[in-house]
Amino acid sequence: MRRTFALLSASALLLTACADAGDEESVTVFAAASLSQVFEEIGELYAEETGTEVEFSFAGSSGLVEQLENGAPADVLATADETNMDNAVEGGLVDGEPELFAENFLVIVTPSGNPAGVESLEDLDDDAVETVICAEAVPCGAATQRIAETAGMEIAPVSEETSVTDVLGRVRSGEADAGLVYATDALQGGADVETIQIEGAEEDPNLYPITVLENAEAPEAGQEFIDFVLEDEVSQRILSDAGFSDPQ
Amino acid sequence: MIAATRRFSRPPAWVMIPGLLGAAVVLLPVSGMMTRLDWAELPGLLTSESSLDALRLSIWTALAATVLCLILGVPLALMLAHARFRGLTIVRSLVLLPLVLPPVVGGLALLYTFGSQGMLSGTLDLFGIRIAYTSVAVILAMTFVSMPFLVISVETAVRGMDREVIEAATVDGASRTGILRHIILPLIGPGLVSGAVLAFARSLGEFGATLAFAGNQQGVTRTLPLEIYLQRETDPDAAVALSLLLIVVAVVVISAAYSRQQRAQ
């Protein structure tokens, strides 16, 4: 019994030592949930090239900022909108100036075959077209309202969902004739959905900022990761393959 | 005599400790939420158009679902209580499935059955019936999750009945429907009421199945729980205020029903 305990403590010590050694070569990134797939890929690539491991924590942007406010340790923050990044800047959580690395804009998706024959945003005020959008309280819903206002029209939805994935889900399953989602979501819908561009949507995108944090334990490695996201050709391709556009 | 029975059936004093802890498990989080309540803002938050729409929708759909549960659930409970066959346990667990099923799964099941691409979509189209995105879908979701509560209560009441009374009535030549109306239903009255109250309360709190199946539109499908979930995104104060509203409605309904029942006994 005593020996087992000794063994356990020894291995625990060893593990701690390993973890300590690892800390110097790892960077912790807090990123918006919509970035999870692309950042995992970019992170692997970055680790291969630099030998620095990337630890990710993915959640909704507002949740991430709240975690940081409560003292969560991280080196880098990437949010899915500027509002939440502004909150982080105002809260004194950020070191330096956030940089924009990607943007995302709304598109119309329909089930494959486009059963209601939707051609443009204007078709969505027709009651015969069952349209689902995000509720105005969530960011994609606010973007939807802006698009409709710019076009000078009103969308007549049958349902206002709490998340963009629910909108995609309803269109994907054919339960709705049309929905407004981000270009990246539309790509995730694959062959189940057809995508229709909205005129003017690209001029009013959602911007994704990234920055090093004030309490970063590895600020240099953090900045290196940010540069990798912004400048590496393969990371740029991973982003564009997922449907993100370049903000520059 | 009654007083004596009461004294003997009183539990030992030590049960107070776990008992009160049990009450605390429920009451502590509720009171914790109430500390976040902004009393000054409360009237404004509760009387906004979207809140009132959600409240109105929640109450009438929960009532409709309760009625539907009574119409369909009482006969089902009678069948289960009197059935004697080998697979009865399996049949009963299938009927009670919504009790253990995550409500979202129930919502998906309803979607794949009654949705516009669901199993019955052809039949429904034939009659020009559209369920998804209407209040009917809300009622259906509520009925699905609430029915087991009514069925259990009623079945337990039927099984606990004094069979001799029914046998006597049968000997006197009463018809089966007559026995059901004049003897069984009055006898199981308390079980019926508590089952209906449970079904109403469960319907009022229904969230997952409604979200997955019915949709989310103000005044049509956005019930109080869905409104709370949405408000939480932008205005946590409003979400807490609406939660209080939901709690008040539920407590009033449940205590009114039970106090009437106790007076009747």
Side-chain angles (χ1 to χ4, degrees), chain A residues 84-170:
Chain A
N84 281 299
M85 185 56 88
D86 289 346
N87 291 342
V89 172
E90 278 163 30
L93 301 167
V94 166
D95 180 25
E97 187 83 4
E99 288 179 87
L100 300 174
F101 69 97
E103 62 180 42
N104 210 348
F105 52 87
L106 288 174
V107 296
I108 301 169
V109 282
T110 71
S112 66
N114 193 357
V118 176
E119 285 171 359
S120 69
L121 192 65
E122 279 66 37
D123 293 338
L124 303 186
D125 71 349
D126 185 349
D127 279 340
V129 180
E130 293 191 333
T131 306
V132 285
I133 58 175
C134 286
E136 211 176 338
V138 292
C140 61
T144 302
Q145 290 309 320
R146 282 205 309 272
I147 291 273
E149 268 166 39
T150 311
M153 57 143 339
E154 239 175 88
I155 300 170
V158 288
S159 185
E160 294 175 36
E161 306 292 331
T162 25
S163 83
V164 68
T165 39
D166 287 345
V167 174
L168 181 68
R170 291 213 185 259

Side-chain angles (χ1 to χ4, degrees), chain B residues 200-218:
Chain B
F200 177 78
R202 180 65 189 84
S203 296
L204 204 59
E206 197 339 271
F207 171 72
T210 313
L211 189 75
F213 172 51
N216 198 339
Q217 181 73 350
Q218 185 176 337

